[in-house]
Amino acid sequence: MTAAQLPQESNMSFTQKVCLALLCCLFISLVESNKVKIRGLSPAGQRSYHNGSVLIGVDLSTLNTDGTTFRCRDGSKTIPFSQVNDDFCDCESDGSDEPGTNACPNGKFYCRNIGSVGKTVFSSRVGDGICDCCDGSDEKLNPNSKCKNTCQADAREANKGRQQELDITLKGLSIKKEYIAKAERELREKRASISQIEEEVSKLRHKREEETATRDRLQKEEEEARAALQPAETVTPPPPTPVEEQPASDEQLEEFAEEGEYEEEESAEAEYKPSPSPPTHHAEDERLQPYVEATRKQREVVGDLDRQISEKERSLEDIKKAISQTYGHQNAFYGLLGNCYHADTPEYTYELCPFDKVNQNSKRGGGSTNLGTWSDSDQTDEWKSHQRQMRYTNGLRCWGGPDRSAIVNVLCGSDNVLSNPQEPNKCEYHLNFHTPAACSEEHAQFLRMELSGGSHEEEEDPEAVPVAKGWGLF
Ligand code: MAN
Protein backbone atom coordinates (compact mmCIF):
# COMPACT_ATOMS: atom_id res chain seq x y z
CA MET A 1 0.00 0.00 0.00
CA THR A 2 1.49 3.34 -1.01
CA ALA A 3 0.93 6.69 0.68
CA ALA A 4 -1.23 7.74 -2.22
CA GLN A 5 -3.50 4.74 -1.72
CA LEU A 6 -3.95 5.36 2.03
CA PRO A 7 -7.37 6.63 2.93
CA GLN A 8 -7.48 10.28 3.97
CA GLU A 9 -7.26 10.59 7.79
CA SER A 10 -10.48 12.55 7.96
CA ASN A 11 -12.32 9.74 6.14
CA MET A 12 -10.73 6.79 8.12
CA SER A 13 -12.98 4.60 10.18
CA PHE A 14 -11.90 3.34 13.62
CA THR A 15 -11.20 -0.12 12.12
CA GLN A 16 -9.02 1.41 9.42
CA LYS A 17 -7.07 3.34 12.09
CA VAL A 18 -6.50 0.12 14.15
CA CYS A 19 -5.34 -1.71 11.03
CA LEU A 20 -2.89 1.09 10.22
CA ALA A 21 -1.49 1.01 13.77
CA LEU A 22 -1.08 -2.77 13.60
CA LEU A 23 0.71 -2.48 10.25
CA CYS A 24 3.09 0.09 11.76
CA CYS A 25 3.80 -2.22 14.73
CA LEU A 26 4.49 -5.14 12.40
CA PHE A 27 6.88 -3.00 10.32
CA ILE A 28 8.78 -1.81 13.42
CA SER A 29 9.05 -5.33 14.80
CA LEU A 30 10.42 -6.56 11.47
CA VAL A 31 13.05 -3.85 11.55
CA GLU A 32 13.88 -4.71 15.15
CA SER A 33 14.07 -8.38 14.27
CA ASN A 34 17.14 -7.48 12.21
CA LYS A 35 18.85 -6.62 15.50
CA VAL A 36 18.29 -10.02 17.09
CA LYS A 37 21.50 -11.25 18.64
CA ILE A 38 22.77 -14.50 17.26
CA ARG A 39 24.44 -16.61 19.88
CA GLY A 40 28.08 -17.30 19.15
CA LEU A 41 28.72 -14.32 16.93
CA SER A 42 31.24 -11.61 17.71
CA PRO A 43 30.00 -7.99 17.81
CA ALA A 44 31.53 -7.50 14.39
CA GLY A 45 29.81 -10.66 13.22
CA GLN A 46 26.49 -9.50 14.69
CA ARG A 47 26.78 -6.31 12.71
CA SER A 48 27.62 -8.18 9.55
CA TYR A 49 24.64 -10.47 9.94
CA HIS A 50 22.24 -7.77 11.01
CA ASN A 51 22.71 -4.33 9.76
CA GLY A 52 24.92 -4.60 6.79
CA SER A 53 28.05 -2.95 8.13
CA VAL A 54 31.22 -4.08 6.39
CA LEU A 55 32.98 -7.31 7.29
CA ILE A 56 35.40 -8.70 4.73
CA GLY A 57 34.05 -11.70 2.87
CA VAL A 58 30.47 -11.26 3.96
CA ASP A 59 27.70 -10.79 1.47
CA LEU A 60 25.75 -7.89 2.86
CA SER A 61 22.57 -9.38 1.52
CA THR A 62 22.89 -12.44 3.76
CA LEU A 63 19.73 -11.41 5.55
CA ASN A 64 16.64 -10.46 3.59
CA THR A 65 15.02 -7.22 4.56
CA ASP A 66 12.10 -9.04 6.04
CA GLY A 67 14.46 -11.00 8.29
CA THR A 68 12.97 -14.35 7.39
CA THR A 69 15.79 -15.88 5.39
CA PHE A 70 19.53 -16.26 5.91
CA ARG A 71 22.22 -16.64 3.30
CA CYS A 72 25.39 -18.55 4.14
CA ARG A 73 28.42 -16.32 4.50
CA ASP A 74 29.93 -17.65 1.27
CA GLY A 75 26.58 -17.25 -0.51
CA SER A 76 26.33 -20.97 -1.18
CA LYS A 77 22.80 -21.38 0.21
CA THR A 78 19.78 -19.42 1.42
CA ILE A 79 17.82 -20.93 4.32
CA PRO A 80 14.88 -19.86 6.50
CA PHE A 81 16.12 -17.68 9.34
CA SER A 82 14.64 -20.14 11.83
CA GLN A 83 17.37 -22.60 10.77
CA VAL A 84 20.17 -20.38 12.12
CA ASN A 85 21.61 -22.04 15.22
CA ASP A 86 19.10 -24.88 15.01
CA ASP A 87 21.85 -27.44 15.66
CA PHE A 88 21.84 -28.61 12.06
CA CYS A 89 24.59 -27.55 9.70
CA ASP A 90 23.06 -26.09 6.57
CA CYS A 91 26.03 -24.03 5.39
CA GLU A 92 28.40 -26.97 5.18
CA SER A 93 31.03 -25.05 3.26
CA ASP A 94 31.60 -22.29 5.83
CA GLY A 95 29.62 -23.29 8.93
CA SER A 96 28.17 -19.77 9.14
CA ASP A 97 24.58 -20.75 10.04
CA GLU A 98 25.65 -22.47 13.28
CA PRO A 99 27.92 -20.02 15.15
CA GLY A 100 26.24 -20.98 18.43
CA THR A 101 26.19 -24.77 18.16
CA ASN A 102 28.70 -27.48 17.32
CA ALA A 103 26.73 -28.73 14.35
CA CYS A 104 29.21 -27.47 11.76
CA PRO A 105 32.73 -28.90 12.20
CA ASN A 106 34.27 -25.77 10.66
CA GLY A 107 32.16 -23.30 12.66
CA LYS A 108 33.46 -20.75 15.13
CA PHE A 109 31.83 -19.69 18.37
CA TYR A 110 32.38 -16.29 19.91
CA CYS A 111 32.25 -15.94 23.70
CA ARG A 112 31.26 -12.44 24.59
CA ASN A 113 32.70 -12.72 28.12
CA ILE A 114 31.26 -9.40 29.20
CA GLY A 115 33.46 -7.85 31.87
CA SER A 116 36.49 -9.81 30.68
CA VAL A 117 37.97 -10.46 27.24
CA GLY A 118 35.90 -11.87 24.38
CA LYS A 119 37.28 -14.81 22.46
CA THR A 120 36.53 -17.17 19.59
CA VAL A 121 36.59 -20.94 20.02
CA PHE A 122 35.92 -23.76 17.55
CA SER A 123 32.27 -24.76 17.45
CA SER A 124 33.35 -28.31 18.28
CA ARG A 125 34.04 -27.00 21.80
CA VAL A 126 30.45 -25.88 22.22
CA GLY A 127 28.55 -28.15 24.59
CA ASP A 128 31.50 -30.51 25.11
CA GLY A 129 31.36 -30.18 28.91
CA ILE A 130 34.52 -28.05 29.11
CA CYS A 131 34.16 -24.42 30.13
CA ASP A 132 36.01 -22.52 27.39
CA CYS A 133 34.29 -19.19 27.93
CA CYS A 134 34.41 -17.36 31.24
CA ASP A 135 30.76 -16.44 30.78
CA GLY A 136 29.87 -20.12 30.33
CA SER A 137 28.11 -19.37 27.06
CA ASP A 138 29.69 -22.30 25.21
CA GLU A 139 28.07 -24.69 27.68
CA LYS A 140 24.90 -22.72 28.32
CA LEU A 141 22.69 -25.26 26.56
CA ASN A 142 24.42 -28.27 28.03
CA PRO A 143 22.12 -29.49 30.84
CA ASN A 144 25.04 -31.16 32.65
CA SER A 145 27.29 -28.14 32.52
CA LYS A 146 28.51 -26.60 35.75
CA CYS A 147 30.17 -23.60 34.12
CA LYS A 148 29.96 -20.49 36.24
CA ASN A 149 30.45 -16.96 35.05
CA THR A 150 33.98 -16.17 36.19
CA CYS A 151 34.49 -13.17 33.93
CA GLN A 152 34.57 -10.60 36.75
CA ALA A 153 37.08 -12.63 38.78
CA ASP A 154 39.11 -13.25 35.63
CA ALA A 155 39.05 -9.55 34.86
CA ARG A 156 40.27 -8.72 38.39
CA GLU A 157 43.11 -11.23 38.00
CA ALA A 158 43.91 -9.86 34.55
CA ASN A 159 43.96 -6.36 35.98
CA LYS A 160 46.50 -7.40 38.59
CA GLY A 161 48.69 -8.67 35.78
CA ARG A 162 48.09 -5.50 33.76
CA GLN A 163 49.04 -3.34 36.73
CA GLN A 164 52.30 -5.27 37.15
CA GLU A 165 52.98 -4.94 33.44
CA LEU A 166 52.28 -1.22 33.61
CA ASP A 167 54.66 -0.81 36.57
CA ILE A 168 57.41 -2.63 34.67
CA THR A 169 56.71 -0.61 31.53
CA LEU A 170 56.90 2.70 33.41
CA LYS A 171 60.15 1.70 35.12
CA GLY A 172 61.50 0.57 31.74
CA LEU A 173 60.45 3.83 30.13
CA SER A 174 62.36 5.92 32.64
CA ILE A 175 65.51 3.82 32.02
CA LYS A 176 64.91 4.05 28.28
CA LYS A 177 65.00 7.85 28.57
CA GLU A 178 68.52 7.57 30.01
CA TYR A 179 69.50 5.17 27.20
CA ILE A 180 68.30 7.66 24.60
CA ALA A 181 70.18 10.56 26.20
CA LYS A 182 73.34 8.44 26.47
CA ALA A 183 73.03 7.32 22.84
CA GLU A 184 72.64 10.88 21.65
CA ARG A 185 75.69 12.03 23.62
CA GLU A 186 77.94 9.10 22.73
CA LEU A 187 77.03 8.98 19.05
CA ARG A 188 77.68 12.71 18.79
CA GLU A 189 81.09 12.25 20.48
CA LYS A 190 81.87 9.31 18.20
CA ARG A 191 81.07 11.32 15.08
CA ALA A 192 83.24 14.18 16.32
CA SER A 193 86.16 11.88 17.21
CA ILE A 194 86.57 10.56 13.67
CA SER A 195 88.51 13.52 12.25
CA GLN A 196 90.67 13.73 15.38
CA ILE A 197 91.63 10.04 15.20
CA GLU A 198 92.26 10.32 11.47
CA GLU A 199 94.70 13.16 12.14
CA GLU A 200 96.44 11.13 14.85
CA VAL A 201 96.79 8.21 12.44
CA SER A 202 98.29 10.44 9.78
CA LYS A 203 100.88 11.86 12.28
CA LEU A 204 101.76 8.35 13.43
CA ARG A 205 102.19 7.22 9.82
CA HIS A 206 104.54 10.11 9.15
CA LYS A 207 106.58 9.28 12.25
CA ARG A 208 106.65 5.64 11.20
CA GLU A 209 108.14 6.59 7.82
CA GLU A 210 110.98 8.47 9.55
CA GLU A 211 111.66 5.71 12.04
CA THR A 212 111.55 3.09 9.30
CA ALA A 213 114.23 4.99 7.40
CA THR A 214 116.43 5.01 10.53
CA ARG A 215 115.81 1.31 11.01
CA ASP A 216 116.81 0.58 7.42
CA ARG A 217 120.01 2.60 7.82
CA LEU A 218 120.94 0.81 11.04
CA GLN A 219 120.16 -2.51 9.42
CA LYS A 220 122.49 -1.63 6.55
CA GLU A 221 125.23 -0.63 8.97
CA GLU A 222 124.81 -3.87 10.79
CA GLU A 223 125.10 -5.82 7.54
CA GLU A 224 128.24 -3.88 6.61
CA ALA A 225 129.78 -4.55 9.99
CA ARG A 226 128.94 -8.20 9.64
CA ALA A 227 130.53 -8.28 6.20
CA ALA A 228 133.60 -6.50 7.57
CA LEU A 229 133.95 -9.18 10.20
CA GLN A 230 133.96 -11.98 7.64
CA PRO A 231 137.78 -12.06 7.06
CA ALA A 232 138.22 -12.29 10.80
CA GLU A 233 138.23 -16.01 10.39
CA THR A 234 141.68 -15.76 8.77
CA VAL A 235 142.96 -12.33 9.91
CA THR A 236 142.27 -10.23 12.96
CA PRO A 237 139.39 -7.93 12.05
CA PRO A 238 139.52 -4.15 12.52
CA PRO A 239 137.41 -2.83 15.36
CA PRO A 240 133.88 -1.83 14.41
CA THR A 241 133.62 1.80 13.40
CA PRO A 242 131.15 3.34 15.82
CA VAL A 243 128.30 5.05 13.99
CA GLU A 244 127.46 8.55 15.12
CA GLU A 245 123.81 7.70 15.77
CA GLN A 246 124.81 4.35 17.14
CA PRO A 247 123.48 4.58 20.72
CA ALA A 248 125.21 1.54 22.11
CA SER A 249 128.65 2.04 20.60
CA ASP A 250 130.27 3.97 23.46
CA GLU A 251 129.19 1.46 26.01
CA GLN A 252 130.33 -1.31 23.80
CA LEU A 253 133.71 0.29 23.28
CA GLU A 254 134.06 0.57 27.03
CA GLU A 255 133.23 -3.07 27.27
CA PHE A 256 135.84 -3.94 24.71
CA ALA A 257 138.37 -1.82 26.59
CA GLU A 258 137.58 -3.59 29.83
CA GLU A 259 138.06 -6.92 28.21
CA GLY A 260 141.35 -5.80 26.60
CA GLU A 261 140.08 -6.61 23.14
CA TYR A 262 140.06 -3.03 21.95
CA GLU A 263 143.84 -2.61 22.64
CA GLU A 264 144.53 -5.84 20.92
CA GLU A 265 142.67 -4.69 17.84
CA GLU A 266 144.38 -1.27 17.89
CA SER A 267 147.75 -2.97 17.82
CA ALA A 268 146.48 -5.12 15.03
CA GLU A 269 145.65 -1.96 13.14
CA ALA A 270 149.20 -0.65 13.61
CA GLU A 271 150.96 -3.75 12.49
CA TYR A 272 149.33 -6.72 10.83
CA LYS A 273 150.26 -9.99 12.46
CA PRO A 274 148.47 -13.17 11.88
CA SER A 275 146.42 -13.92 14.88
CA PRO A 276 147.87 -16.73 16.92
CA SER A 277 144.44 -18.16 17.11
CA PRO A 278 141.40 -16.93 15.09
CA PRO A 279 138.75 -15.15 17.23
CA THR A 280 135.96 -17.30 18.40
CA HIS A 281 132.38 -16.82 17.21
CA HIS A 282 131.69 -15.44 20.64
CA ALA A 283 134.18 -12.63 20.16
CA GLU A 284 132.76 -11.88 16.74
CA ASP A 285 129.23 -11.69 18.18
CA GLU A 286 130.34 -9.22 20.75
CA ARG A 287 131.77 -6.91 18.16
CA LEU A 288 128.53 -6.99 16.22
CA GLN A 289 126.48 -6.53 19.34
CA PRO A 290 126.20 -2.69 19.25
CA TYR A 291 124.85 -2.87 15.69
CA VAL A 292 122.49 -5.68 16.44
CA GLU A 293 121.23 -3.94 19.55
CA ALA A 294 120.72 -0.61 17.78
CA THR A 295 118.76 -2.28 14.97
CA ARG A 296 116.71 -4.30 17.43
CA LYS A 297 115.74 -1.20 19.40
CA GLN A 298 114.82 0.65 16.23
CA ARG A 299 112.74 -2.29 15.04
CA GLU A 300 110.88 -2.12 18.32
CA VAL A 301 110.22 1.59 17.81
CA VAL A 302 108.73 0.86 14.36
CA GLY A 303 106.77 -2.13 15.68
CA ASP A 304 105.34 -0.02 18.47
CA LEU A 305 104.24 2.60 15.95
CA ASP A 306 102.66 -0.14 13.82
CA ARG A 307 100.71 -1.30 16.85
CA GLN A 308 99.55 2.22 17.66
CA ILE A 309 98.47 2.78 14.06
CA SER A 310 96.50 -0.45 13.78
CA GLU A 311 94.88 0.15 17.17
CA LYS A 312 93.73 3.58 16.05
CA GLU A 313 92.61 2.24 12.68
CA ARG A 314 90.65 -0.50 14.38
CA SER A 315 88.94 1.96 16.66
CA LEU A 316 88.18 4.17 13.63
CA GLU A 317 86.63 1.18 11.89
CA ASP A 318 84.58 0.33 15.00
CA ILE A 319 83.39 3.91 15.33
CA LYS A 320 82.43 4.13 11.67
CA LYS A 321 80.59 0.81 11.89
CA ALA A 322 78.90 1.85 15.14
CA ILE A 323 77.58 5.11 13.76
CA SER A 324 76.43 3.54 10.51
CA GLN A 325 74.15 1.03 12.28
CA THR A 326 70.61 1.66 13.41
CA TYR A 327 69.69 1.19 17.03
CA GLY A 328 65.95 1.47 16.84
CA HIS A 329 63.79 4.51 17.31
CA GLN A 330 65.81 7.35 18.89
CA ASN A 331 68.76 4.90 19.07
CA ALA A 332 67.31 3.59 22.31
CA PHE A 333 69.08 0.22 21.88
CA TYR A 334 72.51 1.77 21.36
CA GLY A 335 73.42 1.35 25.05
CA LEU A 336 73.31 -2.46 24.64
CA LEU A 337 76.23 -2.41 22.23
CA GLY A 338 79.33 -3.97 23.75
CA ASN A 339 77.38 -5.88 26.42
CA CYS A 340 76.49 -9.58 26.46
CA TYR A 341 73.56 -11.29 28.22
CA HIS A 342 73.23 -14.93 29.23
CA ALA A 343 70.54 -17.57 29.63
CA ASP A 344 71.08 -21.14 30.85
CA THR A 345 69.72 -24.54 29.96
CA PRO A 346 71.09 -27.67 31.65
CA GLU A 347 73.41 -28.23 28.70
CA TYR A 348 74.33 -24.77 27.43
CA THR A 349 74.76 -21.14 28.32
CA TYR A 350 73.35 -19.00 25.53
CA GLU A 351 74.94 -15.62 25.04
CA LEU A 352 73.48 -12.62 23.24
CA CYS A 353 75.76 -9.70 22.42
CA PRO A 354 73.28 -7.29 20.80
CA PHE A 355 74.22 -6.01 17.33
CA ASP A 356 77.08 -8.50 17.30
CA LYS A 357 76.38 -12.22 17.78
CA VAL A 358 74.59 -15.07 19.56
CA ASN A 359 76.66 -17.94 20.96
CA GLN A 360 75.91 -21.33 22.46
CA ASN A 361 78.52 -22.22 25.08
CA SER A 362 78.65 -25.83 26.14
CA LYS A 363 78.66 -26.52 29.88
CA ARG A 364 80.50 -29.78 29.28
CA GLY A 365 83.60 -28.25 27.82
CA GLY A 366 82.42 -28.51 24.22
CA GLY A 367 83.48 -24.95 23.46
CA SER A 368 81.48 -22.17 21.94
CA THR A 369 79.28 -22.38 18.85
CA ASN A 370 78.32 -19.32 16.88
CA LEU A 371 74.56 -19.27 16.32
CA GLY A 372 74.58 -16.19 14.12
CA THR A 373 75.92 -12.71 13.69
CA TRP A 374 74.16 -9.40 13.32
CA SER A 375 73.79 -7.72 10.00
CA ASP A 376 71.59 -4.67 9.41
CA SER A 377 70.63 -6.03 6.01
CA ASP A 378 69.25 -9.31 7.44
CA GLN A 379 66.69 -7.56 9.61
CA THR A 380 63.02 -7.65 8.69
CA ASP A 381 60.38 -5.06 9.29
CA GLU A 382 59.92 -6.61 12.73
CA TRP A 383 63.16 -4.90 13.67
CA LYS A 384 63.30 -2.00 11.24
CA SER A 385 59.83 -0.66 12.00
CA HIS A 386 58.87 -2.15 15.35
CA GLN A 387 62.04 -3.32 17.14
CA ARG A 388 60.24 -6.50 18.15
CA GLN A 389 62.61 -9.06 16.72
CA MET A 390 66.33 -9.32 15.95
CA ARG A 391 67.82 -11.85 13.56
CA TYR A 392 71.30 -13.29 13.82
CA THR A 393 72.31 -15.28 10.75
CA ASN A 394 75.13 -17.25 9.10
CA GLY A 395 76.19 -19.08 12.25
CA LEU A 396 78.23 -22.27 12.28
CA ARG A 397 76.97 -24.76 9.65
CA CYS A 398 74.80 -27.44 11.23
CA TRP A 399 75.85 -31.05 10.68
CA GLY A 400 73.77 -32.10 7.68
CA GLY A 401 71.63 -28.99 8.01
CA PRO A 402 71.49 -25.24 7.49
CA ASP A 403 73.76 -22.55 8.90
CA ARG A 404 72.75 -21.92 12.48
CA SER A 405 70.57 -18.85 13.03
CA ALA A 406 68.81 -17.21 15.96
CA ILE A 407 65.68 -15.14 16.35
CA VAL A 408 65.55 -12.91 19.39
CA ASN A 409 62.13 -11.69 20.46
CA VAL A 410 62.57 -8.25 21.97
CA LEU A 411 60.22 -7.42 24.84
CA CYS A 412 59.79 -4.60 27.30
CA GLY A 413 61.39 -5.13 30.70
CA SER A 414 62.73 -3.11 33.59
CA ASP A 415 66.14 -4.87 33.24
CA ASN A 416 68.12 -6.42 30.43
CA VAL A 417 67.39 -10.14 30.70
CA LEU A 418 67.88 -12.98 28.22
CA SER A 419 65.54 -15.93 28.74
CA ASN A 420 63.80 -19.00 27.40
CA PRO A 421 66.31 -20.34 24.88
CA GLN A 422 64.68 -22.85 22.52
CA GLU A 423 65.66 -24.83 19.45
CA PRO A 424 62.27 -25.35 17.76
CA ASN A 425 63.93 -26.71 14.62
CA LYS A 426 67.39 -28.20 14.39
CA CYS A 427 69.95 -25.39 14.50
CA GLU A 428 67.25 -22.67 14.57
CA TYR A 429 67.21 -20.95 17.92
CA HIS A 430 64.68 -18.68 19.60
CA LEU A 431 65.36 -16.51 22.62
CA ASN A 432 63.51 -13.81 24.51
CA PHE A 433 65.25 -10.62 25.46
CA HIS A 434 63.61 -8.18 27.86
CA THR A 435 65.03 -4.69 27.84
CA PRO A 436 63.95 -1.20 28.89
CA ALA A 437 64.83 -0.10 25.34
CA ALA A 438 61.77 -1.98 24.04
CA CYS A 439 59.23 -0.30 26.33
CA SER A 440 56.79 2.04 24.65
CA GLU A 441 54.63 4.89 25.80
CA GLU A 442 51.84 3.58 23.52
CA HIS A 443 51.79 0.26 25.34
CA ALA A 444 51.72 2.01 28.71
CA GLN A 445 48.79 4.04 27.43
CA PHE A 446 47.03 0.89 26.23
CA LEU A 447 47.49 -0.74 29.64
CA ARG A 448 46.16 2.35 31.41
CA MET A 449 43.11 2.25 29.18
CA GLU A 450 42.57 -1.45 29.80
CA LEU A 451 42.87 -0.89 33.53
CA SER A 452 40.26 1.80 33.41
CA GLY A 453 38.03 -0.67 31.53
CA GLY A 454 38.06 1.39 28.37
CA SER A 455 38.50 -1.02 25.47
CA HIS A 456 36.43 -4.16 25.66
CA GLU A 457 35.33 -5.21 22.26
CA GLU A 458 33.13 -7.82 23.87
CA GLU A 459 30.93 -5.29 25.60
CA GLU A 460 27.27 -5.11 24.70
CA ASP A 461 26.63 -4.10 21.13
CA PRO A 462 24.44 -1.02 21.63
CA GLU A 463 22.81 -1.56 18.26
CA ALA A 464 21.48 -4.98 19.12
CA VAL A 465 18.38 -5.69 21.13
CA PRO A 466 18.81 -8.97 22.98
CA VAL A 467 15.70 -11.04 22.33
CA ALA A 468 15.46 -14.49 23.82
CA LYS A 469 14.07 -16.63 21.06
CA GLY A 470 14.99 -20.10 22.18
CA TRP A 471 17.84 -22.27 21.03
CA GLY A 472 20.77 -20.40 19.65
CA LEU A 473 19.56 -16.88 20.25
CA PHE A 474 20.38 -14.64 23.18
C1 MAN B 1 75.09 -29.15 18.78
C2 MAN B 1 74.21 -28.03 19.28
C3 MAN B 1 72.76 -28.36 19.09
C4 MAN B 1 72.48 -28.76 17.66
C5 MAN B 1 73.42 -29.87 17.25
C6 MAN B 1 73.24 -30.19 15.76
O1 MAN B 1 74.95 -30.27 19.59
O2 MAN B 1 74.56 -26.89 18.56
O3 MAN B 1 71.97 -27.24 19.42
O4 MAN B 1 71.17 -29.21 17.51
O5 MAN B 1 74.75 -29.48 17.45
O6 MAN B 1 74.05 -31.23 15.36
Side-chain angles (χ1 to χ4, degrees):
M1 187 184 290
T2 66
Q5 289 168 319
L6 284 173
Q8 293 296 303
E9 199 182 326
S10 53
N11 299 333
M12 279 168 81
S13 68
F14 176 72
T15 322
Q16 281 174 317
K17 281 181 183 169
V18 169
C19 283
L20 186 62
L22 281 172
L23 271 173
C24 284
C25 285
L26 182 62
F27 178 74
I28 288 165
S29 81
L30 281 174
V31 170
E32 283 301 303
S33 75
N34 283 348
K35 292 181 177 175
V36 167
K37 274 205 166 239
I38 298 178
R39 186 167 169 272
L41 267 187
S42 67
Q46 299 280 1
R47 278 192 286 280
S48 73
Y49 274 82
H50 290 287
N51 56 26
S53 69
V54 179
L55 186 80
I56 293 163
V58 172
D59 182 352
L60 297 180
S61 61
T62 46
L63 199 63
N64 284 354
T65 47
D66 64 2
T68 58
T69 61
F70 170 79
R71 188 178 296 176
C72 303
R73 196 176 284 255
D74 64 3
S76 56
K77 232 187 226 178
T78 299
I79 55 170
F81 189 73
S82 57
Q83 285 178 216
V84 172
N85 274 344
D86 69 346
D87 206 17
F88 181 84
C89 190
D90 295 288
C91 303
E92 284 158 3
S93 50
D94 66 8
S96 58
D97 65 311
E98 294 297 317
T101 78
N102 58 14
C104 295
N106 51 352
K108 300 233 175 81
F109 181 89
Y110 181 76
C111 323
R112 304 178 73 213
N113 293 346
I114 293 167
S116 181
V117 182
K119 72 172 181 184
T120 301
V121 297
F122 288 111
S123 296
S124 54
R125 303 243 172 123
V126 175
D128 65 353
I130 297 167
C131 311
D132 294 289
C133 306
C134 70
D135 61 5
S137 56
D138 58 315
E139 299 298 319
K140 202 168 183 171
L141 302 168
N142 178 353
N144 303 319
S145 152
K146 293 203 169 65
C147 295
K148 291 202 179 94
N149 189 326
T150 59
C151 291
Q152 296 294 336
D154 285 7
R156 270 196 299 279
E157 204 48 45
N159 274 352
K160 244 195 242 165
R162 277 189 199 110
Q163 187 57 56
Q164 277 168 3
E165 200 181 335
L166 180 61
D167 293 346
I168 288 171
T169 307
L170 294 177
K171 194 169 166 210
L173 277 171
S174 80
I175 298 170
K176 182 180 177 178
K177 253 193 209 154
E178 291 166 20
Y179 282 7
I180 292 171
K182 188 170 175 241
E184 209 180 300
R185 197 174 55 243
E186 288 192 6
L187 284 168
R188 196 179 39 237
E189 282 167 9
K190 274 197 158 70
R191 272 183 217 108
S193 69
I194 289 182
S195 55
Q196 193 196 322
I197 301 175
E198 277 172 346
E199 201 175 306
E200 283 167 13
V201 170
S202 134
K203 276 187 191 155
L204 284 170
R205 283 228 176 91
H206 183 71
K207 189 149 195 279
R208 186 189 182 278
E209 265 172 37
E210 289 174 352
E211 300 294 350
T212 308
T214 308
R215 182 202 62 195
D216 293 348
R217 183 172 49 75
L218 291 174
Q219 233 163 251
K220 199 161 165 249
E221 285 169 5
E222 183 191 326
E223 278 157 23
E224 283 167 3
R226 199 180 292 280
L229 278 174
Q230 283 301 310
E233 285 183 14
T234 48
V235 293
T236 312
T241 318
V243 186
E244 224 177 83
E245 304 87 338
Q246 173 57 270
S249 61
D250 289 345
E251 293 158 28
Q252 193 60 41
L253 284 172
E254 270 169 35
E255 257 181 64
F256 287 154
E258 274 167 26
E259 289 166 21
E261 287 183 46
Y262 191 60
E263 286 87 334
E264 191 189 299
E265 281 165 17
E266 262 184 342
S267 65
E269 225 174 59
E271 187 194 341
Y272 173 73
K273 268 191 248 150
S275 177
S277 58
T280 60
H281 281 295
H282 177 69
E284 184 186 307
D285 285 351
E286 283 191 343
R287 266 170 244 165
L288 273 176
Q289 197 55 35
Y291 297 102
V292 173
E293 184 62 13
T295 315
R296 187 189 61 76
K297 278 190 177 157
Q298 190 58 20
R299 270 201 206 104
E300 265 177 28
V301 170
V302 174
D304 190 45
L305 282 167
D306 277 341
R307 262 189 301 282
Q308 286 184 49
I309 291 170
S310 42
E311 229 167 69
K312 294 234 179 260
E313 282 180 338
R314 235 192 338 267
S315 90
L316 252 186
E317 222 173 84
D318 288 350
I319 289 172
K320 284 183 180 169
K321 190 174 166 221
I323 62 170
S324 71
Q325 270 184 188
T326 51
Y327 302 97
H329 186 53
Q330 296 181 292
N331 291 316
F333 289 78
Y334 168 78
L336 307 176
L337 191 66
N339 296 311
C340 296
Y341 306 93
H342 300 92
D344 281 313
T345 64
E347 224 178 324
Y348 301 106
T349 297
Y350 287 83
E351 178 181 51
L352 163 71
C353 307
F355 306 108
D356 184 8
K357 62 186 177 195
V358 176
N359 277 348
Q360 183 193 52
N361 303 324
S362 169
K363 287 184 173 173
R364 295 178 194 152
S368 179
T369 305
N370 180 255
L371 304 186
T373 49
W374 172 272
S375 156
D376 258 2
S377 60
D378 280 342
Q379 305 309 313
T380 66
D381 222 31
E382 282 296 287
W383 171 256
K384 288 186 199 151
S385 305
H386 310 290
Q387 287 96 57
R388 284 194 297 235
Q389 199 180 77
M390 293 173 162
R391 279 168 182 266
Y392 292 82
T393 50
N394 297 317
L396 190 75
R397 165 81 31 108
C398 189
W399 181 255
D403 289 348
R404 285 174 172 80
S405 62
I407 289 179
V408 179
N409 295 310
V410 183
L411 305 151
C412 166
S414 52
D415 290 307
N416 292 308
V417 179
L418 187 67
S419 64
N420 202 23
Q422 310 259 349
E423 191 180 346
N425 299 307
K426 199 172 172 194
C427 296
E428 279 178 36
Y429 303 85
H430 286 186
L431 298 112
N432 288 345
F433 180 53
H434 284 82
T435 170
C439 297
S440 79
E441 189 52 63
E442 292 74 35
H443 188 58
Q445 198 51 39
F446 170 78
L447 290 168
R448 280 192 202 103
M449 207 170 72
E450 289 247 301
L451 277 164
S452 64
S455 78
H456 286 170
E457 192 204 301
E458 69 286 358
E459 275 176 11
E460 287 282 353
D461 181 356
E463 287 172 1
V465 178
V467 182
K469 289 199 172 177
W471 173 264
L473 298 178
F474 281 114

